[in-house]
Amino acid sequence: MLNLIWAAMIAVGIIYGALTGNMEAVANGALDSAGEAVQLCITMIGVMSLWVGLMEIASKAGLIESLTRGIQPFVTFLFPRIPKGHPARQYISTNIIANILGLGWACTPAGLKAMEELARLEEERGNPAYLSKKGERAASNEMCTFLILNISSLQLIPVSMIAYRSQYGSASPTAIVAPAILATLFSTLAGVVYAKLMDRRR
């Protein structure tokens, strides 16, 4: 669907440029945007490498393990039906910590692993609720809660936004930090409340 939307937008832009005699501007805009995209990718690769490297150092130093133990009460509150010591809890904790630190790239593998473990847990339980009324596989309560938490995640350091603002010449790239913390704090609270309410309904 998104492919069709983008294709339609490009086609409309080209047709409009041709009809109004601005094809040169359209071509220049496309070339300039392509160059900016390459520069942005190079910048993001550098930022990603830096923060993923710091994450690896923190992991080797035992900091991530300590943080993981520290947020276990929060994980238990959100996912009371996941047994203690289950691999899903470790992956969920790692994903939450990476998101809080603004390491969206680093949290993706942990998030995928968490979903795999949650799916395996439902299969081990033989939970009929894991199947929809049509007999198709459906997400469990824990999967839905984790997805909501992952999307609304609290971020203390919005690395991506800081990098974008720096790339495009912002006078104060880090000025986004306080608004981002407030916005993601409220979105996380809203997500947790919604997940809990829907969990009780289901």
Side-chain angles (χ1 to χ4, degrees), residues 1 8 10 15 19 31 49 52 56 68 77 88 91 104 114 139 178 191 194:
M1 184 62 183
I10 292 171
I15 293 171
L19 293 176
L31 293 174
S49 300
V52 171
E56 186 66 21
T68 299
F77 168 73
Y91 290 125
Y194 177 79

Side-chain angles (χ1 to χ4, degrees), residues 6-188:
W6 280 108
M9 292 173 63
I10 292 171
V12 169
I14 293 174
I15 293 171
Y16 182 80
L19 293 176
T20 57
N22 292 317
M23 279 303 296
E24 184 178 353
V26 172
N28 290 336
L31 293 174
D32 292 342
S33 297
E36 289 181 6
V38 172
Q39 293 177 5
L40 181 60
C41 287
I42 293 173
T43 300
M44 295 306 296
I45 288 173
V47 173
M48 179 181 68
S49 300
L50 171 64
W51 283 100
V52 171
L54 290 175
M55 186 79 169
E56 186 66 21
I57 292 172
S59 178
K60 296 292 184 182
L63 179 60
I64 301 301
E65 184 178 352
S66 299
L67 291 173
T68 299
R69 287 197 302 268
I71 66 170
Q72 285 308 301
F74 177 68
V75 174
T76 300
F77 168 73
L78 282 178
F79 307 95
R81 291 188 292 275
I82 298 180
K84 290 186 177 180
H86 194 276
R89 294 174 69 97
Q90 177 70 27
Y91 290 125
I92 289 171
S93 300
T94 303
N95 179 271
I96 292 173
I97 292 169
N99 264 320
I100 289 175
L101 296 177
L103 303 176
W105 315 282
C107 75
T108 300
L112 294 175
K113 286 290 187 181
M115 281 295 189
E116 289 178 4
E117 292 297 333
L118 290 174
R120 189 174 291 113
L121 179 61
E122 290 301 314
E123 291 174 354
E124 291 171 357
R125 288 171 174 171
N127 188 356
Y130 189 55
L131 295 177
S132 67
K133 294 180 180 178
K134 296 181 180 180
E136 299 172 349
R137 301 187 75 169
S140 65
N141 287 8
E142 286 84 1
M143 289 178 178
C144 293
T145 300
F146 176 64
L147 182 60
I148 291 171
L149 184 66
N150 195 52
I151 293 172
S152 64
S153 175
L154 170 67
Q155 285 195 5
L156 299 181
I157 309 172
V159 177
S160 298
M161 290 306 300
I162 292 173
Y164 292 146
R165 288 167 61 85
S166 177
Q167 174 68 23
Y168 290 107
S170 173
S172 181
T174 56
I176 194 69
V177 172
I181 291 174
L182 286 175
T184 54
L185 174 62
F186 282 108
S187 67
T188 301

